[in-house]
Amino acid sequence: MNKNDLQPAAVFEQFAKINEIPRPSKHEEQMIEYLKQWGESRGLDTQVDETGNVIIRKGATPGYENRRTVILQSHMDMVCDKLVDVDFDFDHDAIKTYVDGEWLTAEGTTLGADDGIGCAMELALLDATDIEHGPIECVFTRDEETGLSGAEGMKSGFMTGDYLINLDSEDEGEIFVSCAGGRNTQARFTFKREAAPAGSFFLRGQLKGLVGGHSGDDINKKRANAIKLLARFIFMEMKRYEGIRLAQFHSGKLHNAIPRDGEFIIAVPNDLKENVRADWNIFAADVEDEFHVTDTQMVWLMESADAQPVIEAPVARNFIWAVQAVDNGIYAICQDEALGGMVETSSNIAAVHTTDSEINVLSSQRSNVMSNLDNMCYTFQAAFELAGAKAVSSDGYPAWKMRADSKLTEIVVDTYKRLFGKAPVVRGIHAGLECGLFSERYPNLDMVSFGPTLRFVHTPDERLLIPTVQMVWDHLQAILKEIPAKD
């Protein structure tokens, strides 16, 4: 399949243009300007709010003037991650895509289909002259990936529609009607560096090739976490031998991604270096067996490193003990049968980086139950404060509760059955959607979320299942025709 032959052509043409525009989270200025000029050049009512969210309004087609207004919403920013050996500047370079069978993916970077493909559908709809619909408002929010600050900063009244379709979900055939709330918790250790004990030999341990993934939607897939594995090895060695000292620890980049690679530098007594190397090889084999289904391409490396100052022993020990002890992964499953046994509460340790005087730890907690979200944040704080760190949680974002009387859900399900001859799955998602914030400012807004199938989002392996884009595009058009009239 050639990229130029992708269907629906109108959507993929818009997606290709979007991927030429740098749009890292918090740096979406070029995308905002592009959308503003795009809407104005077509004579459409286009506004940018104080936060940088963009709304483009289009009137109804003939015969649909009395229908209720539908909001179509996606976020303009993308997670920026790349393979370690790929030379790429997300602030300037265009995403390079290619077709791999039925999948569209990128050359060594995130694809940006989360949520560029949602933006592309909105633009294609706004540009279309042959699609029947009532009044529509296409909303493009900024900075969804690093804290939902675009939705957080949106004031009441910016959107005026009755129904909202969020185009930021990743499993075609699944209609999302609920999402988790989330908070980030950070911990910081401070220390003074000191000389390593005499006779120390320095070793660098590196782990890469993990699958990683979205810390909400993929947390139930038992994928390996590089931080937990590296800390676990150091914990074992510190328990086994005297004199193991930590000099460096680096892993992870993003609060909402499972870390897929990392490295540490330790100083070991010279007479133990071969023991540690042997332990590393045994540990690697054991872990590969643990994750033989999910993470089949692990790469373990250990080599000598340059001598350097090390972290104070009590601080290093406490840091490693805290990472070993803290909850990571699924904590609870939803008790509501309507949500189909999805994850209710989880925590993910996402990034650790050392400087000359600090160890900084970043984690993400999620839950559909806000009291349990608080509990998970407290658990992380307690573990790291007991270890001597300062820990603090962000304000985060709220959960989106399922609406039992949703007319929009009824329309979405019925049109899907009619189009594809089967019922979609109606469920919640263990990830943050902007619908949670919208539900606070627009309590009467009837909302659903759906989208084409994406895999390995937030990683350089991100890919979009091409045939599902046509399915979502057809479904979207069918929904717009069935929107009811105003009372």
Side-chain angles (χ1 to χ4, degrees):
M1 185 184 299
N2 188 291
K3 278 200 303 183
N4 296 326
D5 298 328
L6 298 180
Q7 297 295 326
V11 174
F12 280 104
E13 286 170 6
Q14 296 292 346
F15 184 54
K17 293 174 183 177
I18 288 170
N19 268 348
E20 294 177 0
I21 305 167
R23 48 196 173 92
S25 299
K26 299 189 184 300
H27 299 281
E28 306 94 339
E29 293 80 9
Q30 293 183 62
M31 187 64 179
I32 293 169
E33 185 60 26
Y34 174 79
L35 291 169
K36 183 174 181 291
Q37 292 185 7
W38 192 96
E40 291 176 346
S41 69
R42 287 158 174 79
L44 299 173
D45 178 15
T46 304
Q47 298 176 26
V48 182
D49 73 2
E50 297 172 355
T51 305
N53 302 306
V54 179
I55 189 167
I56 305 176
R57 295 184 173 90
K58 183 181 180 183
T61 56
Y64 288 78
E65 293 87 353
N66 69 332
R67 302 296 177 93
R68 291 187 174 274
T69 300
V70 175
I71 303 163
L72 301 167
Q73 184 266 323
S74 54
H75 63 83
M76 65 181 84
D77 62 318
M78 66 174 284
V79 168
C80 298
D81 195 12
K82 66 182 185 68
L83 297 175
V84 293
D85 56 350
V86 170
D87 183 17
F88 192 89
D89 184 351
F90 283 100
D91 290 324
H92 298 95
D93 297 342
I95 302 295
K96 299 176 182 177
T97 64
Y98 67 94
V99 175
D100 180 13
E102 289 191 315
W103 299 87
L104 185 69
T105 189
E107 297 180 9
T109 71
T110 38
L111 173 64
D114 175 17
D115 187 23
I117 196 64
C119 294
M121 287 188 181
E122 292 188 64
L123 293 177
L125 179 62
L126 288 168
D127 222 17
T129 59
D130 58 349
I131 296 175
E132 298 171 313
H133 57 78
I136 57 173
E137 297 180 344
C138 288
V139 176
F140 308 84
T141 51
R142 71 178 307 178
D143 191 30
E144 187 268 354
E145 297 290 4
T146 61
L148 294 94
S149 64
E152 174 69 33
M154 184 188 294
K155 294 180 180 178
S156 299
F158 185 63
M159 303 186 297
T160 64
D162 303 290
Y163 301 115
L164 184 143
I165 299 173
N166 170 278
L167 295 168
D168 187 25
S169 295
E170 298 156 10
D171 293 277
E172 192 287 320
E174 297 188 354
I175 311 302
F176 295 93
V177 296
S178 171
C179 77
R183 299 171 71 186
N184 295 336
T185 303
Q186 299 183 62
R188 178 170 59 91
F189 295 86
T190 58
F191 60 85
K192 293 181 179 179
R193 288 195 176 267
E194 57 191 30
S200 292
F201 188 87
F202 284 78
L203 290 168
R204 174 183 285 106
Q206 293 180 301
L207 173 59
K208 57 185 179 179
L210 306 186
V211 173
H214 191 290
S215 62
D217 204 33
D218 295 322
I219 202 70
N220 63 337
K221 297 180 174 64
K222 198 186 179 292
R223 294 177 182 170
N225 180 308
I227 293 170
K228 290 290 288 183
L229 291 179
L230 294 174
R232 176 174 154 191
F233 176 77
I234 298 171
F235 174 84
M236 290 167 49
E237 297 305 276
M238 285 182 168
K239 292 280 286 184
R240 186 172 292 161
Y241 307 117
E242 295 289 334
I244 305 292
R245 302 296 299 275
L246 178 65
Q248 302 284 345
F249 196 115
H250 299 283
S251 180
K253 304 180 185 71
L254 306 165
H255 76 96
N256 51 8
I258 301 168
R260 52 187 280 138
D261 52 53
E263 69 172 32
F264 61 75
I265 296 176
I266 55 175
V268 305
N270 191 64
D271 61 348
L272 291 177
K273 63 184 180 183
E274 295 308 321
N275 299 59
V276 174
R277 290 182 191 271
D279 292 344
W280 176 257
N281 292 334
I282 294 169
F283 180 71
D286 288 343
V287 169
E288 286 176 359
D289 184 59
E290 286 181 30
F291 295 95
H292 70 280
V293 173
T294 59
D295 292 80
T296 60
Q297 303 296 321
M298 291 184 178
V299 178
W300 302 79
L301 301 170
M302 180 164 277
E303 59 185 4
S304 60
D306 294 336
Q308 56 191 272
V310 296
I311 298 169
E312 291 175 89
V315 176
R317 180 187 183 278
N318 287 352
F319 157 67
I320 292 297
W321 258 241
V323 175
Q324 176 65 35
V326 75
D327 275 316
N328 197 80
I330 298 172
Y331 179 75
I333 299 296
C334 282
Q335 299 180 51
D336 190 335
E337 293 182 3
L339 294 178
M342 77 174 216
V343 177
E344 177 211 272
T345 306
S346 73
S347 184
N348 174 64
I349 187 165
V352 172
H353 293 285
T354 54
T355 69
D356 287 342
S357 59
E358 294 182 353
I359 306 173
N360 291 294
V361 183
L362 174 64
S363 70
S364 173
Q365 290 74 41
R366 303 175 188 269
S367 184
N368 287 61
V369 179
M370 298 308 287
S371 60
N372 225 357
L373 176 61
D374 290 340
N375 179 48
M376 283 309 300
C377 292
Y378 297 153
T379 299
F380 189 93
Q381 290 176 24
F384 279 85
E385 287 177 0
L386 282 170
K390 293 183 178 180
V392 61
S393 297
S394 67
D395 292 335
Y397 51 89
W400 166 33
K401 295 183 178 179
M402 182 174 61
R403 181 170 174 165
D405 62 346
S406 170
K407 177 63 177 177
L408 181 58
T409 301
E410 179 185 329
I411 294 169
V412 170
V413 170
D414 288 346
T415 51
Y416 192 92
K417 289 178 179 176
R418 191 161 63 246
L419 275 173
F420 305 116
K422 59 181 180 179
V425 176
V426 178
R427 52 167 294 210
I429 187 172
H430 189 65
L433 291 173
E434 290 154 302
C435 297
L437 287 162
F438 298 150
S439 67
E440 286 192 328
R441 288 175 176 77
Y442 302 85
N444 296 319
L445 194 56
D446 195 352
M447 298 181 286
V448 299
S449 177
F450 59 83
T453 298
L454 294 171
R455 289 294 177 264
F456 308 116
V457 296
H458 299 181
T459 82
D461 294 323
E462 181 187 355
R463 52 190 55 226
L464 168 66
L465 187 57
I466 296 165
T468 64
V469 179
Q470 184 71 63
M471 295 175 72
V472 172
W473 181 240
D474 292 344
H475 189 202
L476 187 59
Q477 294 177 62
I479 293 167
L480 293 175
K481 290 182 181 180
E482 298 299 324
I483 297 298
K486 302 172 185 176
D487 294 335

